Each structure stands twice: as C-alpha cells, then as structure tokens.
C-alpha cells in the first residue's frame, strides 16, 4: 500500500500558547521521512511522538523567522551526538548556512554526517529535490522576508502484479517488464500487460504554504496538490492586521483552496490570540467545506 | 523578608531524555529575576511554571554549547513580539553576539528593547554585573570551549528598624540614618543604633559551575557561596568518559563542595544515559551529605 501521511508537530505562530507549539510537520512517504519547518521544541515533540527523527532524509525550512527554524540546530546537533552518519539534505534560505556555521564553530563541533545544504530559490518556481520516493518543487510566497512554498509529489509507481495470475515460474526479468507496463511473451503466448497487472496507486501531492499574505499568484502552483496546507493566522475580524503582518485569514486560506480545487485544506499557524480555534475553522469551512485544523499530534493523509 | 530562590528549569545534558530538558535556572532575588543558561524549550517551561519572564533583568550564558543557549533566541524574540521595552542585560561569550546579530538580520527584526550584550571573560575572575539587588562575579571553568562560572551575591542590606520602638513622630531622615547604622538624637537624647535597629539578613551567595572537568582551581571562587551548583554529568563508573568530554562525576562535584565548605550542593547536567538519578545522588552524598538533585520544577533557597 502506498502511504503519504502528514503529522502536525506544531502549528502555532510566533510564540507558544495554550500548549500549542511553533511550526513543524512530519511527512511519512512510503516510510521515507521528511520534515517541513522546525520551530523550537520540535526535537522533544518528535521524541514524544516516537517518530524516528534519526532516519530523516531531508528537511525543508520555509523562511528564517524563528518560529520556523529555532528548533533546527538542536535537532542537527543531537543527531550528531547520537552518531548519525547518513547524509541529510537541508533546503532553506541561504542565511541559515551562515547561522549554522557560526553555531558549529562556537561549539567547536564538526558534524559527523554530511549535511547537504541547498539554498531555496524564493524568486521563481523550481524543482528543488528529487529522490527515489518524491519530487519537491518550490515557489515564492509573499511574506516579510523571503519565503518558499513547497509541493511534495510521490514519484509515479510501477504497475502492480495481479498475484494469483502470475505463473510461479515466471522469470524475474519478465516480472520487472510487467511492472514497467510492457507486454510479454509467456510460453510463446502474448500477454497483454493489463491482463496480469493493475494500475498503481496514483501519486499523491501535498502543498505547504506558510507564511504568506493572501496572494492568488500561488494558485497554479498548489492546484496540482490533493491536500493543501495554507496558513490562517487570523480570522476576518483581523483582516487588516493580517495584511499588515503579511499573513492570511482563514477565509483567505479557504479561498486559495477553492480556486486551486484541491481535495482537502489544512489550516494552521494560529495566532496566540485564539484560545479556541473553532472560529477559524468555521470561517474557512463557509468557503471551503473540507477544511481541517492542523492541530498538534493529528495525522492526515495527503 | 529577604528572598533568594533558585528554580530548576532544566538540568539535562546534551539532549532531552526521560522528560528532562537542557540547562536553565531561574533566580528570584528579592523579586528581581535572573536566568542562568537557556537550553531549548526554556520559554515554554517558564510559561508553564508561570514565571514572569517578561520581567527578566539579566541573562547569564555559561558557554556556547547548544544545550546551554539554543532557547535564548526564542526567548529574546518572543519578548520583542510582546513589546518589551525595558533594557535587558545579556552576559555570554562574544560569539553569541554574532549569532544573534545574524538571526535578527535574517528575520528582518530589530529588537524594540535595549539588549545590552556584555561578553564574559573566561580568562580570569572578575566582577561581571552589579545592580541594586546583586553583584555577580565570574571565573573560568575548564571545558572543551570557553566556559564561565558565575557567583551571585545579594548586596548587603540596611539594618531593620525595630518597629515597636520607633516613635511615630521620628523624621524620615532619622529613620534612614538608623537604617544606615548611624546613632541619632531623639528629643535631645542619644539613641545608639543597636537600641532601635536589628541586623539585616545576611546576604546569600550562590555559585553556578556548568560545564567543567574536575578542577580544584575553582574552589576559592565557590568557597564564598552558601549554595553551589556543580555539574555531575556521570557517575564514577564513567570517570574516564567524564574527563575525555571535560565533564565531572557526582563524586567530583561533591569533592569540590567539600573543599569549598559550602552549606549545600545541587548537582545537575545529567547524562541521558541515566533513567534513574539516584546513583548520582548517592555517590555525591557519600562525600558531601547535604547534596540535592537539581531536578526540573524544584526550587531551592540559596
């Protein structure tokens, strides 16, 4: 079974409040693990949730406001302390490389694992990362500092063999050919690919937009996604404050989801002013009914 | 009543384990507030403990290993977000100024309050900070990177008026003179200071030593303290590892306390290898009986 789940590690804005923590999301894509943003305390919450952070393949940091990256250095240093040796890919604005370099120097520490730092491009849409499991694209968001949206797409999978139809003596080469969609010959008989295989699960796509002012230019980028996370720091009652601080309201997040015709919307990055998040959820649902609160500890399918 | 309390916010080493967090201590000295070290998550734990972090007067960072300062930037930025305007004094190795400057630049943020950064001297014993409540001295520790011990002493207080002896018509000037230890005339009669006043509470002194290899050169510096915090990362079973990593064992911490003849020893900076801290406590008590575990949430009098 194909798997693409998103676990919310934190989704509060700026400062912790009501037990809510700053931004971080854990992606499990066919048992490969990725992290988006890394607010303070992410390491402790990953440990608490028993998520295997030592197996992380790549980390994506949207921008350099502290509530999106202050938990990164503790995570990187701890993996070093635990003798990680596997390479780790880190995608972030270039300024983060300078900060980490200084932090390592001051601690007289050299990482024992290769940290591949790749600066994000916050000027145009681009392919950012590709491995055997996913492809990740980035696109600029409109925020007070350079900020990137991310779109995670599962790679297309091979066709699935219909097990009860496959003769036990069929060679490995022919099984691979079938999975690749080719027709084969078996005992001098042509077997059409569709006779012995079925279509793979469709690749799922997840888009992550935090932080941003309401900006419809992102719609084409997120239209390819099934599930969209869009920040919703405020309700419409704070619409002016939202635009002044380059943030969005719940209604605006829902409007982007509606225009992009995604299947599902997750909202987060809640202002500390909201003890109760239901007004944000209700506001978004009036525009886009299939909306969910990205609350800590919750897991969603992409 | 004079007050000098130490609340343990975190006392684990290197990485969080068993619900224990990295180093931070909160000092309440006559209702003036100070913080020593600031590991990741300090802000959340201060909020949880309902400690008034927005009223902090000064922060003291012993050295630039992450478990002693990764929680500082979140705290400083959050106080800015909450519109702090009062000046804050920050004592730390000079490298921290570079890191904070970069973090502010990348976030396009200017602090709305004056942050007075004063580099610590990790070469010799010196007076570091003085205000109306305390004097703080520093002395070098022996660690893998430059590291400072701190000694917090309450300033001497005025003598206390013995209220039932003071005539209601005694002038303010003469009351002040009495508090300052002077003799006065009242109705043409000489009043000896000791007749109408009693001695003030003795200033209490607290010394903080983290992180350090066992090094007796610190003994004279901490001998002036009533209460000593000394790191005890390992037990004697890990004595070699302790010296290799420039840390101390519980027995070594107790030996410093004994040589310095302090009243009370707090031990902390526990290695993540210890689920149960009692072996550390028992080991220290065999050398210095009045030892306590600096466990999170506990408050001690200096």
């Amino acid at each position: 079974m194909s798997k693409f789940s998103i676990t919310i590690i934190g989704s509060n804005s700026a400062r912790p409040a009501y037990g809510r923590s700053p931004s971080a999301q854990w992606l499990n894509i066919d048992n490969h693990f990725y992290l988006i943003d890394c607010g303070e305390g992410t390491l402790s919450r990953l440990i608490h949730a028993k998520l295997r952070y030592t197996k992380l393949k790549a980390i994506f940091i949207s921008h350099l406001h502290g509530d999106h990256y202050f938990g990164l250095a503790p995570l990187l240093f701890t993996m070093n302390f635990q003798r990680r040796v596997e390479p780790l890919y880190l995608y972030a604005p270039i300024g983060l490389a300078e900060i980490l370099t200084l932090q390592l120097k001051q601690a007289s520490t050299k990482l024992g694992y290769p940290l591949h730092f790749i600066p994000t491009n916050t000027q145009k849409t681009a392919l950012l990362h590709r491995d055997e499991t996913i492809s990740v694209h980035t696109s600029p968001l409109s925020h007070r500092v350079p900020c990137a949206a991310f779109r995670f797409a599962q790679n297309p999978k091979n066709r699935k063999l219909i097990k009860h139809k496959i003769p036990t003596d069929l060679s490995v080469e022919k099984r691979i050919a079938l999975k690749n969609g080719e027709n084969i010959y078996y005992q001098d008989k042509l077997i059409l690919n569709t006779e012995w295989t079925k279509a793979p699960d469709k690749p799922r796509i997840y888009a992550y937009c935090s932080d941003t002012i309401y900006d419809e230019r992102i719609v084409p980028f997120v239209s390819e996604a099934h599930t969209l996370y869009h920040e919703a720091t405020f309700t419409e009652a704070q619409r002016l404050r939202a635009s002044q601080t380059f943030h969005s309201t719940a209604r605006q997040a829902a409007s982007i989801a509606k225009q992009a015709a995604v299947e599902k919307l997750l909202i987060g990055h809640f202002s500390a002013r909201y003890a109760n998040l239901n007004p944000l959820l209700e506001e978004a649902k009036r525009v886009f009914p299939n909306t969910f609160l990205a609350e800590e500890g919750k897991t969603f399918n992409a």
Side-chain angles (χ1 to χ4, degrees), chain A:
Chain A
M1 260 303 282
S2 175
K3 182 184 177 77
F4 189 159
S5 70
I6 305 139
T7 300
I8 311 301
I9 307 300
S11 65
N12 219 49
S13 72
R15 68 186 171 97
Y18 309 109
R20 305 192 305 251
S21 308
S23 292
Q25 298 192 4
W26 174 267
L27 302 187
N28 178 340
I29 307 176
D30 297 319
N31 293 314
H32 295 256
F33 307 123
Y34 305 89
L35 188 68
I36 319 174
D37 283 341
C38 191
E40 193 191 16
T42 293
L43 172 61
S44 291
R45 297 198 300 286
L46 293 176
I47 292 171
H48 183 76
K50 296 188 164 53
L51 293 168
R52 298 169 64 205
Y53 65 90
T54 56
K55 300 292 180 197
L56 272 170
K57 293 182 72 173
I59 299 174
F60 300 84
I61 302 294
S62 64
H63 66 298
L64 296 187
H65 280 149
D67 54 326
H68 294 259
Y69 86 93
F70 279 161
L72 181 67
L75 178 61
L76 298 182
F77 278 66
T78 295
M79 287 194 285
N80 187 54
F81 190 76
Q82 295 179 307
R83 303 183 193 285
R84 179 187 177 113
V85 292
E86 299 80 20
L88 179 68
Y89 291 84
L90 174 58
Y91 298 89
I94 185 70
L96 186 56
E98 261 186 283
I99 295 169
L100 289 173
T101 300
L102 264 179
Q103 289 175 320
L104 286 163
K105 181 184 131 197
Q106 293 297 336
S108 281
T109 296
K110 279 191 181 161
L111 293 180
Y113 58 91
L115 180 66
H116 298 298
F117 186 97
I118 298 109
T120 47
N121 186 336
T122 50
Q123 298 302 312
K124 59 174 188 176
T125 300
L127 175 67
L128 194 62
H129 172 90
R130 189 173 168 79
D131 62 28
E132 70 274 34
T133 311
I134 56 165
S135 301
V136 185
H137 284 77
T138 182
S139 191
L141 290 171
S142 305
H143 196 46
R144 205 162 59 77
V145 296
C147 187
F150 301 118
R151 191 180 65 208
F152 300 81
Q154 275 179 313
N155 294 335
K157 291 189 186 324
N158 290 332
R159 294 184 66 82
K160 293 176 175 177
L161 302 182
I162 303 170
K163 285 197 178 147
H164 70 271
K165 292 197 176 171
I166 307 293
T168 52
D169 64 349
L170 186 69
S171 71
V172 170
E173 291 75 14
K174 290 193 174 172
R175 286 170 194 255
I176 291 172
L178 281 172
K179 287 182 180 176
N180 287 335
E182 298 165 27
N183 301 326
I184 60 166
Y185 281 89
Y186 178 68
Q187 294 177 346
D188 295 333
K189 206 179 118 193
L190 175 69
I191 309 292
L192 292 179
N193 186 278
T194 48
E195 288 178 61
W196 285 5
T197 74
K198 54 184 179 183
D201 294 328
K202 280 204 174 155
R204 300 291 293 179
I205 303 177
Y206 175 56
Y208 176 90
C209 298
S210 181
D211 302 6
T212 184
I213 198 169
Y214 176 72
D215 187 342
E216 296 175 358
R217 287 175 296 176
I218 200 66
V219 170
F221 182 76
V222 301
S223 290
E224 296 189 25
H226 302 94
T227 298
L228 167 65
Y229 169 87
H230 194 290
E231 73 126 291
T233 308
F234 299 105
T235 64
E236 283 286 306
Q238 301 291 326
R239 187 172 181 153
L240 179 62
R241 178 150 175 76
S243 66
Q244 284 168 342
T245 57
F246 288 80
H247 286 299
S248 302
T249 67
R251 188 178 184 284
Q252 290 170 335
S255 172
I256 297 291
K258 189 177 177 182
Q259 293 170 66
V262 295
E263 293 175 9
K264 183 166 56 188
L265 171 65
L266 313 180
I267 56 172
H269 200 262
F270 312 117
S271 164
R273 74 173 58 217
Y274 303 109
N276 175 358
L277 302 174
N278 281 329
L280 291 147
L281 180 61
E282 284 158 20
E283 182 177 300
K285 279 188 156 184
R286 281 195 288 276
V287 174
F288 188 84
N290 202 27
T291 301
F292 300 85
L293 292 172
E295 287 177 300
E296 280 173 54
K298 281 192 187 169
T299 295
F300 300 91
N301 288 319

